[in-house]
Amino acid sequence: MEKENIILRAENITKRFAGVTALDDVSIDVYAGKVNVIVGENGAGKSTLMKILSGVYPDYEGELLLHGEEVKFSNPKEAMKSGIAIIHQELNLIPYLSITANIYLGREIVDSFGMLDFKKMNQVTKELLARLDCDVPPTTLVSELRVGQQQQVEIAKALLEDAKVLIMDEPTSAITDAEVEVLFRIIESLKKQKVSILYISHKLDELFEIADRFIGLRDGKMVGTIENIVEANKDDLIRLMVGRDIDNHYVKEKSPLGEEVFRAEGIYLPKPTGKSEFLVNDVSFSVRKGEVLGIFGLMGAGRTELLETVFGLHSKLMVGNIYIDGQKVIIKSVMDAVAKGMGLVPENRKEDGLVLEMPVFKNISMASVEQTLKNGFLNLGLEIGLAKKYITDLNIKTPSPRQKVKNLSGGNQQKVVLSKWLATTPKILFLDEPTRGIDVNAKNEIYHLISNLAKEGLGVLVVSSELPEIMAICDRIIVMGESRITGEFSQKEATEDKIMNAAIL
Amino acid sequence: MNIKTTVIKFQSIIALFILCVVLALLSDKFLTPENGWNIMRQISINVCISVGMTLVILTRGIDLSVGSILAFSGAVAAGLLKYGIDIPSLNLYIGFTVFGAILGGILVGGGLGLFNGWMITRFKVPPFVATLAMLTIARGATMLWTGGFPITGLGEHFAFIGTGWFLGMPMPVWITIIVVAIAVIVTRSTKFGRYVYAIGGNESAARLSGLNINKIKIWVYALAGILAAVGGIILTSRLDSAQPNAGFSYELDSIAAVVIGGTSLSGGRGSIMGTVQGALIIGVLNSGLVLLNVSPFWQQIIKGFVILIAVILDRVNHPNED
Amino acid sequence: MNIKTTVIKFQSIIALFILCVVLALLSDKFLTPENGWNIMRQISINVCISVGMTLVILTRGIDLSVGSILAFSGAVAAGLLKYGIDIPSLNLYIGFTVFGAILGGILVGGGLGLFNGWMITRFKVPPFVATLAMLTIARGATMLWTGGFPITGLGEHFAFIGTGWFLGMPMPVWITIIVVAIAVIVTRSTKFGRYVYAIGGNESAARLSGLNINKIKIWVYALAGILAAVGGIILTSRLDSAQPNAGFSYELDSIAAVVIGGTSLSGGRGSIMGTVQGALIIGVLNSGLVLLNVSPFWQQIIKGFVILIAVILDRVNHPNED
Amino acid sequence: RKDGNAPKKIAVVISTLNNPWFVVLGESAAQKARDLGYETTIFDSQNNTAKEAEHFENLIAAGYSAVLFNPTDAEGSVSNVNRAKQAGIPTFCMDREVNSLEGPVTQIISDSFSGCVDLGQYFVRQMNKKGKYVELLGLVGDNNTWNRSKGFHSVVDHFPDLKMVAQQSADFDRNKAMEVLESVLQSNPDIDAVFCGNDAMAMGAYQALVSAGKADSVMVFGFDGTEDVMNAIKNKKIMATAMQSPKFMAQTAAELADKYLKGERNMDRKMPITVEVVTQDNISEFDAYGSEN
Ligand SMILES: Nc1ncnc2c1ncn2[C@@H]1O[C@H](COP(=O)(O)OP(=O)(O)OP(=O)(O)O)[C@@H](O)[C@H]1O
Ligand SMILES: Nc1ncnc2c1ncn2[C@@H]1O[C@H](COP(=O)(O)OP(=O)(O)OP(=O)(O)O)[C@@H](O)[C@H]1O
Ligand SMILES: [Mg+2]
Ligand SMILES: [Mg+2]
């Protein structure tokens, strides 16, 4: 491509954090009017690079050229003024402020008295939300929105000012397919206005739908680009990211199914507010030993609530019966659930799965610390031994069991959460979006792990929003929509169409 | 809006109303105009301080030093007014008008608040600790400045601030109403106010939106200091005397008013009007317990339980937040 | 381990050491065995309270009521010992031995702590508010129990706890060492201790790992109450008198010790030994300032700055946490 | 509207109930007033002049007929007394004075300053005009602290051989006094006396001396006349204290208030009650907290 099409250029960027070199002499070009996709494994440095481009990290080595001229941003506001906007990987919203207040945060419109001009701001917000097909009043508090809607607010925030460069760091990790469609439509129209997009995602399928070119990062280094998108395929992309081939067409091996290990019957979870509204509405299902049961649904279908409910988190509101090994059990709390042999890998590992400041070994022993007691006291040797076993078994990449878990990459953190539950020798494991935000390589490892667990006789329940994933790894798939079960398919009969039809109702 | 949400929204007002009805039934002296002005005048200082405290708590901070700053600023204003600045060795003497002395007190209060904010933002000292240190430091400074003695005889002009009436309303009540009015406008309708909520709601998101977190926080603590100073000047004027021990444990009263008023200690949620209601509940309770001739020992116990009940009500109505 | 991390690890000890060297240079009376025992005896009460406070803060809580609970428990123990339980209308009289009275005091302290924990876990009252209410309630209860008068003349056996020597070491120091030793083992090597850190580190992850959060928190506040009661009994015994206003603002000293000792107010990070060092720093400073006959006014100012400096040092060494 | 039979109400406003001496003062006043047929309430100002101001406003609103008043501060409390006067409510000061002759109907004051002058003289005699001593001050922001200290020094400072080796604050608190003296004893093991601004501190100081094994060689002086210290003087543990008679002052104030409300107007503006030095020699003449009339 011609030189004048390069709108933004990063030259020889190096960024170090205490102990880690996140970016090592990285140079990339961003083309105008194109979707420039950055690919790389977890921890490759994608988000770090984006934060440098958008002024979040003002101290780095190397230089940024915008329209060929050197720029240096000391904060995100300056980058924004120069036309670079970003949607961050993590949601960055203020829960108790309205949508409008969030969208205008830091660039409010004031009247001649210096007072906030609510009317004008609400008006513009309304138009923006309409563009995103999001039908929520602009004065709604963000805390009252679903995660997907919050993600849309983030997108609207980035669209507010007419940016020349728009960075999207995993914008689709929490929105529904319909919302993804809207986003892609917007991206197309932005491209027509010569806006350049920097796009990051671990969902390889959608990349091919939207990308114009790929830039690969690996271990903080630029490893190459794919400019000719038409001739590239998934394997080329994976090679760019991982540096070798990976069998990406994972299909679960059949393993013999045993007895029924878990059954839920007539589970209801009323909304705390309304009387006749339910977050989980008359759901029944069962899992056998060695079986991987998938639960598919669009965002907000109530899958997380279902798992939480049977796991004892909402015992006061819940209605329904639970059987383990054919025996009826009463689950009044998470403690009961754990004692009865259940484990839950939550959707959001950083917030609900890990104590980030604690070392790996303490996180692994968290739910089963009894087994490392000696004479009633914790025994460090036993505890580290336990951790080492899982570090080897699950191939967790950590310099030592004493490493703080916050220093591990996403995939390895997820494996630590898995280890925590495996250490309790559970009978049934619930996995809520086990591969969200995880790179293709780690994903693969987790698929194999799930399959091995099933082989060893565990019952596994996987919630996922990714159709290909759920079709590849599950023996049976339940589909949920609007809080109830809307379909059930064996692996053989499942097709994308059938499942989607069931999910949409 | 259905009945339930209305109840939730006005819960402090409702609590206040119930309290007033009960007291009016129990004592015929409660519902008199003088008693009304009394309560208003009594809470005026706590309201001034608590407005600043509300801002601080909205940013997820806390300010334990307000009582000490109040004492020091009051003493500074009184000292400047009475003695001026007199350094014989330099042959320096500066006299102060009432206005100048008040300004001096307020500047000192703002300065100490600034120091709090500086420690908290520049050195990342947790607000609890930074203001705990200031609590001690400002108390010591007050003792040094006054030599441990009250400064009295401040004149009629100065006394007017705390004891005078203007257009049928006591001066402290005027000052407080003005402070509250400004604070309501600032929190609701200015960028600064919005940023205060944003920082408390999610500091890292606020930073990524390009807000100058440090500057806003420093301002918030400086304002808390200034408002403590305003309280100190009202108090000194009411008593016609700057007491070295003034303001002792006011921080707890103030935090109680803020929390009873529904502002969350974890930041980002709350309002100035809520705080005013909280201070009113405490003031009405204080005055009511006295009117009902409750023993001072029991008063403490009852007040403790009222705080608990007020906050439990708030929790019941906002169960999902922490 | 390189030099830098060593320095970080032992920063409180180093600060303590520097402080001691300075004081030893300034006063030849500082480095004497008696002065050592003095300081140890003086900090013993603060250490007892602060061990409980450390547990509370590790779970990301705070306990403002320790001073009041200390006063009430001490008064209860003294009252039981001296007067027993005497209800003439029921023809009931129960006398108490020294042991029984102490147990009574400790039970009361534990009970009030339990109440704190119950409010915090069952009704989700923020710890700051729940214990602020308890601060007032227990203070009122102490006044009711004592009628505002000290309870004195508790006998030699009881006095031994606070003033006696055993195997060449003062009794309060023995008690404190035992408390600290148990606390160190509990925090480092028991399930309970591990869970305390986990809750402070990430409560939601701890809950989803099947820990009984509420039970652990209730225990932590109960322990804080019990340890405050132990402090109260040592104090009462040392003075041979239960003072109704004992323990006033001890919560601030205690929080200062915990924070200077490197425990983070946002939970999950810290240690008992750090707290002991923090209390030692405060104790050495208090005693040193008196030893040097520094004016009481300046003492407060100096103490404030020492707290600031100690915490800033800690921040410099743990820059990434908040 | 109000029926004539209802008892009139008298308010007792006390600077602090955190100290038994003031509890006695308050309760004696309240008791006497009740005996005289009044309804009474005790208000605790918590050593806080602002709190005191609130109490005055409340009691004016609540329609009390008279105030038996123990001020927090000689200057700071003046405005409160005047406010009551304007509302037609007479004030009778007890123990501490306010710097206003017109405000209160009468002031029954125990003169801390002159009490400490007497105590200072006794101190000088016991010390034989030479030696080292320590002074423990009360709350440094409290004017009583300084009245006592100044009265004491107005005598003692005339004797150059009496050396004050340390002057520290112990907040009127027993424990604090003990801890402070423990530390002071480290740097000054050879002191001969401790002068304390109140009796609680004297008891604390005595305990520090006991544990340092110096109880016999160091003389302790207190101020107030509380039960503890009276017993300690009897047992030759403490040298002397200054007896203020809270019961007597309180009862006198209540009686005067009664007379005033019954029409008597002829009263002295000030009634100084002598603060008597209680020593191991004259202890048998005193009860704790003074005699009941
Ligand atoms: N604030 C920080 N402090 C220290 N290390 C950091 C920090 N932020 C990122 N890192 C480290 O820098 C490296 C790059 O992280 P980055 O977030 O850029 O990865 P990424 O490519 O976006 O990964 P993912 O796909 O999981 O989002 C990682 O090793 C990460 O642990
Ligand atoms: N705390 C809550 N209070 C009230 N409603 C909630 C709460 N959490 C979620 N909901 C609602 O419950 C429904 C299901 O929630 P949720 O988004 O967790 O479903 P899900 O199928 O697990 O989707 P996801 O893939 O996003 O996890 C949604 O309508 C959501 O708005
Ligand atoms: Mg990233
Ligand atoms: Mg979910």
Side-chain angles (χ1 to χ4, degrees):
Chain A
M1 271 181 229
E2 324 87 86
K3 263 260 186 282
E4 54 267 30
N5 265 338
I6 298 176
I7 178 165
L8 179 65
R9 171 171 220 151
E11 274 182 5
N12 309 102
I13 303 283
T14 297
K15 170 78 188 170
R16 293 186 181 86
F17 295 108
V20 196
T21 305
L23 293 173
D24 183 6
D25 197 26
V26 170
S27 302
I28 64 161
D29 292 330
V30 180
Y31 293 129
K34 303 280 176 206
V35 176
N36 305 262
V37 171
I38 319 270
V39 292
E41 294 179 82
N42 293 124
K46 305 180 294 292
S47 299
T48 306
L49 182 58
M50 297 307 110
K51 285 180 181 167
I52 287 174
L53 297 181
S54 60
V56 177
Y57 293 142
D59 51 333
Y60 53 86
E61 295 156 44
E63 55 188 40
L64 299 184
L65 301 170
L66 185 62
H67 299 301
E69 278 166 46
E70 191 181 346
V71 284
K72 185 111 185 129
F73 307 125
S74 54
N75 61 46
K77 229 173 179 169
E78 285 182 15
M80 190 111 64
K81 281 204 190 105
S82 306
I84 302 179
I86 181 167
I87 300 166
H88 285 283
Q89 183 171 1
E90 285 93 27
L91 286 173
N92 281 291
L93 299 170
I94 319 288
Y96 301 117
L97 291 183
S98 68
I99 297 178
T100 306
N102 269 284
I103 285 180
Y104 274 96
L105 190 62
R107 43 193 169 162
E108 288 79 0
I109 303 176
V110 290
D111 61 21
S112 41
F113 301 103
M115 297 292 133
L116 298 175
D117 192 337
F118 293 101
K119 215 169 156 191
K120 211 183 222 162
M121 290 192 283
N122 280 330
Q123 185 55 38
V124 176
T125 304
K126 203 169 169 184
E127 287 161 14
L128 268 179
L129 291 176
R131 237 174 108 191
L132 289 166
D133 274 358
C134 181
D135 181 28
V136 191
T139 48
T140 317
L141 295 191
V142 159
S143 60
E144 291 166 11
L145 300 179
R146 285 191 295 110
V147 179
Q149 292 171 321
Q150 294 185 1
Q151 184 70 60
Q152 285 186 310
V153 173
E154 286 279 17
I155 295 168
K157 209 167 138 184
L159 293 177
L160 175 63
E161 246 149 86
D162 296 323
K164 289 190 287 275
V165 178
L166 184 53
I167 302 172
M168 301 183 173
D169 196 348
E170 304 198 29
T172 55
S173 66
I175 57 177
T176 67
D177 286 358
E179 287 160 347
V180 171
E181 285 306 314
V182 177
L183 177 66
F184 284 4
R185 251 192 358 252
I186 288 171
I187 290 179
E188 285 303 328
S189 76
L190 288 173
K191 268 166 72 173
K192 290 204 185 90
Q193 299 160 32
K194 281 303 218 180
V195 175
S196 36
I197 314 283
L198 271 159
Y199 193 92
I200 298 174
S201 173
H202 289 291
K203 299 182 179 174
L204 301 191
D205 292 317
E206 75 182 29
L207 290 185
F208 279 95
E209 201 177 317
I210 189 87
D212 292 310
R213 55 193 290 264
F214 293 113
I215 303 169
L217 284 186
R218 199 184 309 148
D219 293 332
K221 296 191 183 68
M222 224 291 267
V223 289
T225 60
I226 299 178
E227 305 288 353
N228 191 346
I229 204 87
V230 188
E231 288 176 16
N233 60 28
K234 259 191 199 172
D235 293 328
D236 297 328
L237 192 56
I238 291 170
R239 215 173 300 118
L240 181 65
M241 291 166 70
V242 189
R244 61 191 157 86
D245 289 315
I246 284 185
D247 176 18
N248 155 61
H249 305 286
Y250 177 86
V251 178
K252 181 184 183 289
E253 301 168 46
K254 272 265 169 274
S255 51
L257 301 188
E259 315 252 280
E260 173 194 285
V261 59
F262 181 90
R263 181 151 51 94
E265 258 182 23
I267 305 289
Y268 290 87
L269 177 68
K271 276 195 181 166
T273 43
K275 280 198 187 67
S276 51
E277 291 176 304
F278 294 93
L279 292 166
V280 177
N281 192 349
D282 190 19
V283 172
S284 305
F285 65 92
S286 70
V287 188
R288 296 166 66 179
K289 284 187 179 158
E291 186 182 31
V292 181
L293 173 65
I295 303 190
F296 179 79
L298 303 177
M299 307 278 163
R303 298 161 300 166
T304 298
E305 273 73 14
L306 174 63
L307 295 195
E308 288 177 356
T309 308
V310 296
F311 200 58
L313 262 173
H314 307 298
S315 55
K316 288 216 184 82
L317 294 169
M318 156 195 178
V319 181
N321 294 321
I322 290 170
Y323 302 83
I324 288 182
D325 289 335
Q327 303 279 336
K328 186 172 173 192
V329 292
I330 309 269
I331 307 285
K332 279 222 197 87
S333 65
V334 178
M335 283 158 281
D336 290 345
V338 175
K340 294 278 170 1
M342 296 190 231
L344 170 70
V345 175
E347 194 170 19
N348 189 336
R349 57 181 167 269
K350 282 192 179 155
E351 277 171 27
D352 304 321
L354 296 163
V355 183
L356 290 170
E357 290 287 332
M358 274 192 172
V360 170
F361 79 92
K362 289 188 186 174
N363 271 289
I364 291 181
S365 65
M366 181 72 68
S368 58
V369 80
E370 289 81 7
Q371 58 180 306
T372 69
L373 296 181
K374 204 170 176 180
N375 307 324
F377 293 104
L378 298 175
N379 182 300
L380 211 63
L382 288 178
E383 221 177 335
I384 297 222
L386 181 78
K388 278 192 171 146
K389 172 175 175 315
Y390 288 103
I391 290 174
T392 317
D393 284 4
L394 273 62
N395 190 22
I396 301 176
K397 284 190 208 106
T398 172
S400 129
R402 294 171 188 268
Q403 177 77 350
K404 279 190 183 171
V405 82
K406 73 168 177 189
N407 294 332
L408 302 193
S409 78
N412 287 304
Q413 287 181 343
Q414 190 70 302
K415 289 182 193 168
V416 171
V417 183
L418 270 164
S419 306
K420 170 171 80 181
W421 289 114
L422 296 183
T424 65
T425 54
K427 293 180 179 147
I428 172 136
L429 207 51
F430 300 144
L431 308 175
D432 196 353
E433 307 277 7
T435 62
R436 176 175 286 177
I438 284 181
D439 68 52
V440 56
N441 191 20
K443 253 183 204 169
N444 237 340
E445 289 184 2
I446 285 174
Y447 296 160
H448 281 107
L449 198 68
I450 291 173
S451 158
N452 288 340
L453 293 175
K455 251 193 245 162
E456 286 163 24
L458 240 73
V460 184
L461 195 93
V462 179
V463 163
S464 173
S465 308
E466 285 185 60
L467 252 184
E469 166 173 301
I470 212 147
M471 289 175 58
I473 65 172
C474 298
D475 295 307
R476 195 155 53 93
I477 298 163
I478 295 178
V479 182
M480 278 184 80
E482 296 196 350
S483 311
R484 56 173 86 234
I485 292 184
T486 55
E488 180 172 342
F489 308 92
S490 71
Q491 189 179 26
K492 255 186 256 143
E493 56 190 17
T495 65
E496 296 208 3
D497 274 355
K498 285 192 202 163
I499 294 179
M500 277 317 289
N501 276 333
I504 291 167
L505 297 174
Chain B
M1 206 189 294
N2 61 17
I3 292 185
K4 198 171 166 203
T5 51
T6 316
V7 169
I8 291 177
K9 190 147 183 212
F10 295 105
Q11 107 206 8
S12 332
I13 293 190
I14 293 171
L16 190 57
F17 182 74
I18 295 175
L19 196 61
C20 289
V21 169
V22 171
L23 287 172
L25 289 177
L26 290 174
S27 160
D28 58 349
K29 302 286 176 181
F30 180 75
L31 272 190
T32 60
E34 305 105 75
N35 198 39
W37 287 130
N38 266 349
I39 294 175
M40 300 272 277
R41 207 162 32 196
Q42 285 169 16
I43 68 162
S44 61
I45 292 166
N46 190 12
V47 170
C48 280
I49 301 175
S50 300
V51 165
M53 186 68 87
T54 308
L55 294 179
V56 169
I57 291 180
L58 280 176
T59 67
R60 204 171 188 154
I62 193 111
D63 190 346
L64 302 180
S65 64
V66 284
S68 301
I69 292 184
L70 173 143
F72 191 44
S73 319
V76 166
L80 291 180
L81 184 60
K82 185 135 189 217
Y83 307 114
I85 295 179
D86 191 4
I87 310 179
S89 60
L90 294 180
N91 231 332
L92 180 77
Y93 175 80
I94 310 172
F96 282 79
T97 60
V98 169
F99 183 75
I102 290 175
L103 201 66
I106 287 177
L107 282 180
V108 165
L112 296 185
L114 215 64
F115 185 84
N116 279 337
W118 186 55
M119 286 288 129
I120 290 163
T121 54
R122 173 74 186 75
F123 298 102
K124 308 284 173 231
V125 179
F128 196 98
V129 183
T131 58
L132 177 63
M134 179 55 79
L135 175 140
T136 311
I137 293 170
R139 189 61 66 188
T142 312
M143 294 300 169
L144 276 181
W145 173 265
T146 61
F149 295 95
I151 301 173
T152 50
L154 304 172
E156 257 174 47
H157 288 301
F158 189 71
F160 182 72
I161 300 164
T163 57
W165 289 68
F166 179 69
L167 297 182
M169 195 154 79
M171 278 300 287
V173 180
W174 273 113
I175 296 174
T176 307
I177 287 179
I178 292 169
V179 164
V180 168
I182 295 176
V184 167
I185 293 173
V186 166
T187 49
R188 286 201 191 150
S189 310
T190 68
K191 284 188 181 190
F192 176 77
R194 170 136 316 161
Y195 295 167
V196 165
Y197 281 91
I199 290 175
N202 183 346
E203 182 165 331
S204 84
R207 177 169 293 120
L208 287 177
S209 296
L211 307 195
N212 191 338
I213 311 280
N214 287 359
K215 193 170 126 193
I216 295 161
K217 279 197 185 173
I218 289 181
W219 260 106
V220 164
Y221 285 92
L223 281 174
I226 288 173
L227 288 169
V230 170
I233 283 158
I234 296 178
L235 181 65
T236 307
S237 162
R238 275 189 80 187
L239 300 174
D240 189 28
S241 153
Q243 300 284 323
N245 283 336
F248 203 72
S249 82
Y250 275 27
E251 63 280 1
L252 297 184
D253 284 352
S254 166
I255 294 169
V258 174
V259 171
I260 291 178
T263 295
S264 156
L265 281 173
S266 40
R269 183 171 71 82
S271 71
I272 299 290
M273 284 318 289
T275 297
V276 172
Q277 289 157 30
L280 265 170
I281 290 179
I282 297 178
V284 168
L285 191 70
N286 273 337
S287 148
L289 290 174
V290 168
L291 280 180
L292 296 180
N293 202 2
V294 175
S295 114
F297 300 161
W298 276 106
Q299 287 188 19
Q300 294 187 299
I301 296 180
I302 293 173
K303 261 185 257 173
F305 278 105
V306 168
I307 295 181
L308 275 182
I309 291 167
V311 175
I312 290 175
L313 276 181
D314 189 55
R315 299 271 69 178
V316 170
N317 293 329
H318 301 89
N320 295 324
E321 294 143 23
D322 85 332
Chain C
M1 207 190 292
N2 62 17
I3 293 182
K4 197 173 166 206
T5 50
T6 317
V7 169
I8 290 177
K9 192 149 182 210
F10 296 105
Q11 105 208 5
S12 329
I13 294 190
I14 293 172
L16 190 57
F17 183 74
I18 295 175
L19 194 62
C20 288
V21 169
V22 171
L23 286 172
L25 289 178
L26 289 174
S27 161
D28 56 349
K29 301 292 156 64
F30 179 74
L31 271 190
T32 60
E34 304 102 76
N35 198 40
W37 287 130
N38 260 347
I39 293 175
M40 300 271 279
R41 208 165 30 197
Q42 287 175 10
I43 67 163
S44 60
I45 292 165
N46 190 12
V47 170
C48 281
I49 301 175
S50 301
V51 164
M53 187 68 86
T54 309
L55 294 178
V56 169
I57 291 181
L58 279 176
T59 66
R60 202 170 190 157
I62 194 111
D63 190 347
L64 302 180
S65 64
V66 285
S68 301
I69 291 184
L70 174 143
F72 191 44
S73 321
V76 166
L80 291 180
L81 184 61
K82 186 137 189 216
Y83 307 113
I85 294 179
D86 191 2
I87 310 178
S89 60
L90 295 178
N91 230 332
L92 179 78
Y93 176 79
I94 310 172
F96 281 79
T97 60
V98 169
F99 183 76
I102 291 175
L103 202 67
I106 288 178
L107 282 180
V108 165
L112 296 185
L114 214 65
F115 185 82
N116 279 336
W118 185 55
M119 286 288 128
I120 291 163
T121 53
R122 173 72 186 77
F123 298 102
K124 308 283 172 232
V125 179
F128 195 98
V129 183
T131 58
L132 176 63
M134 178 56 78
L135 176 139
T136 311
I137 293 170
R139 188 62 65 190
T142 312
M143 289 298 176
L144 277 181
W145 174 265
T146 61
F149 293 93
I151 302 173
T152 48
L154 305 171
E156 256 174 45
H157 287 301
F158 189 71
F160 182 73
I161 300 164
T163 57
W165 289 67
F166 179 69
L167 298 180
M169 196 155 78
M171 278 299 288
V173 181
W174 272 113
I175 296 174
T176 308
I177 287 180
I178 292 169
V179 164
V180 168
I182 295 176
V184 166
I185 293 172
V186 166
T187 50
R188 286 202 191 149
S189 309
T190 67
K191 231 165 83 172
F192 176 76
R194 172 66 55 81
Y195 290 171
V196 165
Y197 281 91
I199 291 176
N202 184 345
E203 182 165 330
S204 143
R207 174 172 295 115
L208 280 171
S209 299
L211 310 198
N212 193 337
I213 311 281
N214 287 359
K215 193 169 127 195
I216 295 161
K217 280 197 182 171
I218 289 181
W219 260 107
V220 164
Y221 285 92
L223 281 175
I226 288 172
L227 288 168
V230 170
I233 283 158
I234 297 178
L235 181 66
T236 307
S237 162
R238 276 193 82 186
L239 299 173
D240 188 28
S241 152
Q243 302 281 324
N245 59 343
F248 203 71
S249 82
Y250 275 25
E251 64 280 2
L252 297 184
D253 284 352
S254 167
I255 294 169
V258 174
V259 172
I260 291 177
T263 294
S264 157
L265 281 173
S266 39
R269 180 172 72 81
S271 70
I272 299 290
M273 285 316 289
T275 297
V276 172
Q277 290 158 30
L280 266 169
I281 291 179
I282 297 177
V284 167
L285 191 69
N286 273 337
S287 152
L289 291 173
V290 172
L291 215 62
L292 298 176
N293 202 14
V294 174
S295 116
F297 303 162
W298 278 106
Q299 288 187 19
Q300 294 186 299
I301 296 181
I302 293 172
K303 263 185 257 174
F305 278 105
V306 169
I307 294 181
L308 275 182
I309 292 168
V311 175
I312 290 175
L313 276 181
D314 187 55
R315 300 273 67 179
V316 170
N317 293 329
H318 299 92
N320 294 325
E321 294 145 24
D322 84 333
Chain D
R1 197 157 62 93
K2 191 160 177 169
D3 62 57
N5 299 334
K8 287 188 170 177
K9 295 195 290 183
I10 288 187
V12 181
V13 181
I14 301 294
S15 60
T16 174
L17 293 182
N18 251 336
N19 178 328
W21 194 92
F22 292 102
V23 177
V24 170
L25 182 75
E27 290 191 342
S28 310
Q31 189 56 47
K32 187 73 189 177
R34 263 196 297 277
D35 292 347
L36 292 166
Y38 297 93
E39 225 178 68
T40 59
T41 313
I42 299 178
F43 297 83
D44 177 5
S45 309
Q46 297 174 6
N47 266 332
N48 179 340
T49 314
K51 192 119 221 154
E52 182 180 279
E54 290 179 13
H55 287 330
F56 267 82
E57 286 168 355
N58 289 336
L59 65 88
I60 291 168
Y64 281 83
S65 317
V67 188
L68 306 183
F69 183 35
N70 170 238
T72 53
D73 188 85
E75 298 287 349
S77 301
V78 173
S79 52
N80 294 331
V81 174
N82 288 337
R83 213 166 295 151
K85 190 177 182 186
Q86 275 159 25
I89 300 174
T91 305
F92 302 81
C93 289
M94 306 179 289
D95 173 41
R96 298 172 170 185
E97 63 184 323
V98 296
N99 289 344
S100 154
L101 271 182
E102 295 76 40
V105 174
T106 181
Q107 307 198 39
I108 302 151
I109 17 179
S110 105
D111 191 342
S112 286
F113 185 91
S114 63
C116 280
V117 170
D118 296 347
L119 201 57
Q121 285 165 354
Y122 184 71
F123 180 86
V124 171
R125 280 203 297 280
Q126 294 300 309
M127 296 281 285
N128 275 327
K129 302 181 188 171
K130 64 173 191 298
K132 294 183 179 175
Y133 70 93
V134 176
E135 181 182 5
L136 293 186
L137 298 167
L139 279 169
V140 285
D142 188 295
N143 60 343
N144 266 305
T145 299
W146 300 110
N147 281 340
R148 294 175 192 179
S149 179
K150 279 183 184 162
F152 177 75
H153 284 286
S154 71
V155 178
V156 176
D157 288 359
H158 293 297
F159 299 89
D161 289 338
L162 281 170
K163 281 211 172 61
M164 182 169 72
V165 292
Q167 185 186 39
Q168 287 289 327
S169 159
D171 296 352
F172 289 132
D173 181 85
R174 187 157 169 164
N175 182 46
K176 195 104 191 279
M178 176 168 65
E179 294 189 350
V180 167
L181 194 66
E182 278 175 351
S183 295
V184 169
L185 282 173
Q186 295 304 315
S187 49
N188 300 286
D190 52 345
I191 56 168
D192 304 299
V194 185
F195 174 73
C196 303
N198 80 344
D199 276 353
M201 292 194 291
M203 287 306 292
Y206 177 74
Q207 268 155 328
L209 291 168
V210 170
S211 41
K214 295 194 164 78
D216 294 331
S217 57
V218 181
M219 296 182 276
V220 180
F221 297 81
F223 191 101
D224 271 352
T226 60
E227 211 174 323
D228 289 9
V229 166
M230 297 300 274
N231 288 333
I233 293 177
K234 259 181 220 150
N235 298 330
K236 313 259 182 241
K237 291 174 175 171
I238 284 180
M239 281 308 287
T241 189
M243 165 60 78
Q244 319 186 71
S245 316
K247 288 183 185 167
F248 180 69
M249 285 188 281
Q251 288 160 354
T252 311
E255 282 163 6
L256 289 178
D258 180 48
K259 282 185 191 153
Y260 184 92
L261 292 176
K262 291 186 172 139
E264 165 90 48
R265 284 293 179 274
N266 188 11
M267 285 180 196
D268 291 338
R269 283 286 172 194
K270 273 200 181 184
M271 291 179 54
I273 305 290
T274 30
V275 174
E276 288 174 90
V277 176
V278 184
T279 66
Q280 292 177 359
D281 303 324
N282 68 4
I283 178 76
S284 52
E285 300 162 24
F286 294 92
D287 289 335
Y289 299 120
S291 52
E292 318 226 356
N293 287 338

